[in-house]
């Protein structure tokens, strides 16, 4: 099983491209489950586990007053491990095949306001040179295309088509979609390409966004970048790339975009996923409703 864990670690790092922090979290969860198995069932082999044993661990976590969110995350780590064992034909059926996640309260994601976006993109002084141009372009791409963080990180130079003002992204389950680029963003991309060409060393030549050392970005780098810039203009608790994606969808809906079009732009497989963003538009709907309905006068 030690070899399986090492192979799982390689799979998370090399195939899934997970950050070191995420890989460590997954392996830590597996380690804690192993300790529980040995202590409670005198068992060491994770491939011979049944769901009742996993259920016992789940109950012990709840008894230890872990939140449902934390418990679900640990179960997700196990699910990923058993999917890996199935993928490598070390296991026929996952012991978690019928497991249902614990219910968690829905968190209301608060998007940035148009004023906050304007302050970041038009009023903040970005660093001079390559890094400042890159940082501003990253923020603008998140806001004007709604792409996911991992989609931005893995964006290739060959995915950019300035003649048609489009870019191609590879989304979840390797699903491709073509996104339009605004002319103002196309101009920034041209400037970025010029600065990128002047980097002393480019190691990851295929990737569009690079650090100043010429290597592709990682999850934590992009998260810190967004958090740092928006900390200057926003007091919102969460300032992340996902909030920018949320903002993209909310602002489109607030300004009259069709929800099905927003669904396609976001790369959602079902409308239910997109409808989450309509809740953020409720305040805008109330405003329109209050101004338009005769009984409100």
């Amino acid at each position: 099983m030690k070899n399986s864990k090492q192979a799982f670690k390689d799979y998370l790092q090399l195939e899934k491209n997970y950050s070191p922090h995420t890989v460590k979290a997954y392996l830590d969860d597996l380690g804690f489950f192993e300790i529980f198995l040995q202590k409670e069932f005198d068992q060491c082999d994770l491939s011979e586990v049944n769901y009742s044993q996993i259920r016992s661990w789940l109950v012990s976590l709840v008894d230890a007053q872990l939140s449902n969110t934390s418990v679900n995350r640990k179960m997700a780590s196990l699910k990923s491990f058993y999917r890996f064992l199935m993928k490598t034909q070390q296991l026929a059926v996952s012991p978690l095949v019928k497991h249902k996640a614990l219910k968690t309260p829905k968190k209301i994601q608060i998007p940035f306001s148009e004023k906050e976006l304007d302050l970041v993109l038009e009023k903040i002084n970005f660093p001079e040179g390559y890094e400042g141009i890159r940082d501003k372009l990253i923020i603008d791409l998140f806001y004007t295309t709604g792409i996911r963080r991992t989609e931005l990180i893995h964006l290739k130079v060959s995915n950019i088509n300035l003649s048609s003002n489009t870019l191609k992204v590879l989304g979840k389950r390797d699903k491709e979609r073509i996104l339009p680029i605004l002319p103002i963003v196309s101009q920034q991309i041209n400037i970025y390409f010029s600065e990128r060409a002047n980097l002393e060393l480019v190691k990851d030549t295929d990737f569009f966004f690079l650090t100043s050392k010429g290597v592709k970005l990682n999850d934590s780098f992009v998260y810190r970048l967004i958090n740092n810039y928006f900390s200057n203009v926003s007091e919102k608790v969460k300032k992340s790339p996902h909030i920018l994606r949320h903002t993209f969808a909310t602002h489109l809906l607030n300004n009259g975009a069709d929800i099905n079009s927003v669904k396609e732009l976001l790369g959602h497989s079902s409308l239910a996923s997109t409808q989450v963003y309509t809740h953020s538009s409720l305040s805008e709907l109330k405003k329109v409703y209050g101004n338009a309905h005769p009984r409100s006068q």
Side-chain angles (χ1 to χ4, degrees):
M1 189 48 61
K2 185 177 180 181
N3 290 338
S4 290
K5 284 180 69 178
Q6 180 58 48
F8 179 56
K9 180 180 179 181
D10 293 341
Y11 165 74
L12 295 176
Q13 290 176 327
L14 304 176
E15 287 194 44
K16 302 296 283 185
N17 290 308
Y18 286 166
S19 69
H21 175 78
T22 302
V23 172
K24 183 179 184 300
Y26 273 51
L27 295 176
D28 284 349
D29 291 338
L30 273 184
F32 292 136
F33 181 52
E34 266 189 318
I35 292 169
F36 177 83
L37 276 181
Q38 290 168 1
K39 182 180 176 183
E40 298 295 325
F41 300 100
D42 195 24
Q43 183 174 326
C44 300
D45 194 342
L46 291 175
S47 65
E48 295 181 358
V49 164
N50 59 55
Y51 182 63
S52 65
Q53 292 170 315
I54 296 175
R55 179 76 183 173
S56 296
W57 187 45
L58 186 153
V59 170
S60 73
L61 295 172
V62 172
D63 287 345
Q65 297 188 333
L66 264 72
S67 68
N68 285 5
T69 301
S70 296
V71 174
N72 285 342
R73 201 212 62 178
K74 293 182 184 298
M75 292 298 119
S77 298
L78 291 191
K79 264 191 173 180
S80 184
F81 177 67
Y82 287 118
R83 275 199 302 267
F84 167 74
L85 292 186
M86 291 169 64
K87 183 175 182 177
T88 53
Q89 299 183 336
Q90 299 177 63
L91 196 66
V93 180
S94 168
L96 278 159
V97 67
K98 293 185 178 179
H99 174 74
K100 291 184 179 180
L102 301 179
K103 288 185 178 180
T104 56
K106 287 185 178 179
K107 291 183 179 178
I108 298 174
Q109 303 278 8
I110 303 174
F112 297 117
S113 66
E114 291 185 29
K115 181 181 178 182
E116 286 171 331
L117 262 300
D118 184 62
L119 285 172
V120 169
L121 292 169
E122 304 300 335
K123 304 297 191 296
I124 280 183
N125 291 319
F126 286 84
E128 290 187 8
Y130 173 75
E131 291 188 351
I133 290 166
R134 178 204 60 202
D135 293 357
K136 185 176 182 181
L137 178 56
I138 286 174
I139 294 169
D140 227 344
L141 264 187
F142 272 133
Y143 179 49
T144 59
T145 66
I147 60 175
R148 300 176 177 95
R149 172 167 45 173
T150 187
E151 292 170 347
L152 179 132
I153 289 171
H154 293 99
L155 195 63
K156 302 286 184 67
V157 172
S158 59
N159 296 149
I160 311 292
N161 188 336
L162 292 180
S163 62
S164 63
N165 278 347
T166 59
L167 58 86
K168 181 170 68 176
V169 297
L170 193 64
K172 290 184 176 179
R173 294 173 290 280
D174 293 335
K175 184 181 177 184
E176 285 187 355
R177 69 186 189 281
I178 307 295
L179 298 175
I181 309 172
L182 295 176
I184 191 171
V185 178
S186 290
Q187 292 170 18
Q188 290 182 60
I189 289 174
N190 271 319
I191 297 169
Y192 171 75
F193 268 133
S194 299
E195 291 292 328
R196 186 182 183 278
N198 293 327
L199 289 175
E200 287 185 19
L201 178 65
V202 174
K203 295 179 182 177
D204 295 325
T205 53
D206 290 345
F207 292 94
F208 180 61
F209 283 115
L210 302 172
T211 68
S212 56
K213 294 181 179 178
V215 298
K216 82 180 181 78
L217 312 182
N218 58 45
D219 285 347
S220 56
F221 180 98
V222 177
Y223 181 90
R224 286 197 306 272
L225 185 151
I226 298 302
N227 188 69
N228 289 343
Y229 281 108
F230 279 87
S231 291
N232 293 314
V233 301
S234 177
E235 295 183 355
K236 290 180 173 64
V237 174
K238 194 168 184 182
K239 298 175 278 287
S240 69
H242 183 72
I243 295 299
L244 267 177
R245 177 171 161 85
H246 191 74
T247 303
F248 163 80
T250 303
H251 288 187
L252 281 180
L253 291 168
N254 282 351
N255 285 282
D258 173 65
I259 191 168
N260 284 297
S261 300
V262 176
K263 167 185 171 291
E264 294 302 315
L265 289 168
L266 291 170
H268 285 158
S269 56
S270 72
L271 195 60
S273 301
T274 314
Q275 285 171 334
V276 171
Y277 301 108
T278 62
H279 299 310
S280 298
S281 305
L282 187 58
S283 59
E284 197 70 20
L285 288 173
K286 284 181 177 178
K287 192 189 301 180
V288 172
Y289 173 69
N291 290 335
H293 199 283
R295 290 284 288 166
S296 70
Q297 305 307 317

